[in-house]
Amino acid sequence: MQWPSTRVTHVGLSVTDIDRYIDFGVNALGMKVMKRAAGRFATLSFGYQHHDIALLPVPPGTPKAHGAGLHHICFDLGNYQNWVLAFGRLVDAGVRVDRVTDHRTGVGIYFSDPEGNQFEFWYEAFSSMEEAIENGRLMSEEFEENYVGYPVDQAQLYRDYQAMKARCDEAPAASPARELEPA
């Protein structure tokens, strides 16, 4: 049986401080608060659906789990420009980026939220999912030796972000959005 096409519709997170998490979501990730019940519930959206993250409080006195559990949550940002701009936004917001990795099928920016949950912002390397799936099946000596991927120069990535941001800031507000490559 083959599953129909799937995607992550949203992630539900148990958090110790909903307001602190909302601040992270709005300021570091650029999300919007969609719904909020003071201290009891909130939903955040990147702006393309009703919610991407649901926040629920951890009951007082609950011990933090150790070991096995959620490894990371990944969001595909759709294109290189969005990916680079997201990296810069994280850095500018003071979020520590754990690593940026070229996985050959795509590149990922790994960082943690205020609760210690790891996130990945992804940019797909292939123009179609069919091509990505076919390439993802290929095994090579290079992949066998380094199945995780290769580090990306974060200093260069931030310079690319600054160049893109400067060009976006200079563009007339009425002009249509365009794909920007690093300078």
Side-chain angles (χ1 to χ4, degrees):
M1 176 184 160
Q2 182 176 352
W3 286 93
S5 177
T6 59
R7 65 182 175 81
V8 174
T9 59
H10 73 276
V11 175
L13 297 176
S14 295
V15 299
T16 57
D17 184 334
I18 288 177
D19 291 333
R20 177 179 68 163
Y21 204 98
I22 288 172
D23 183 61
F24 170 78
V26 170
N27 294 314
L29 304 182
M31 299 182 86
K32 297 177 178 124
V33 178
M34 302 303 286
K35 292 183 182 176
R36 184 178 193 170
R40 297 179 298 134
F41 177 79
T43 59
L44 303 173
S45 173
F46 285 109
Y48 302 100
Q49 58 186 23
H50 47 79
H51 73 288
D52 294 287
I53 299 175
L55 303 173
L56 301 133
V58 173
T62 302
K64 181 143 177 111
H66 299 284
L70 178 68
H71 185 274
H72 71 275
I73 303 159
C74 180
F75 292 99
D76 185 345
L77 299 187
N79 63 49
Y80 181 75
Q81 178 179 338
N82 291 344
W83 185 78
V84 171
L85 292 173
F87 174 81
R89 182 185 188 106
L90 290 170
V91 171
D92 286 352
V95 174
R96 186 175 74 81
V97 173
D98 298 321
R99 69 187 185 283
V100 180
T101 304
D102 179 350
H103 297 289
R104 298 304 194 240
T105 54
V107 287
I109 301 165
Y110 293 86
F111 59 96
S112 295
D113 70 12
E115 298 289 332
N117 298 303
Q118 191 172 64
F119 280 73
E120 177 184 12
F121 281 160
W122 177 263
Y123 167 59
E124 192 68 49
F126 295 95
S127 58
S128 73
M129 191 50 64
E130 291 78 16
E131 185 181 358
I133 290 168
E134 186 59 35
N135 186 277
R137 291 184 177 132
L138 300 175
M139 293 295 288
S140 65
E141 287 182 32
E142 176 188 42
F143 185 82
E144 289 286 346
E145 284 185 31
N146 186 356
Y147 60 89
V148 173
Y150 300 89
V152 172
D153 182 346
Q154 291 187 40
Q156 181 59 53
L157 191 55
Y158 192 75
R159 287 190 294 274
D160 291 349
Y161 158 71
Q162 290 174 314
M164 279 185 189
K165 189 170 184 293
R167 292 193 340 236
C168 286
D169 291 345
E170 293 171 3
S175 69
R178 63 183 191 273
E179 190 79 12
L180 298 176
E181 293 299 321

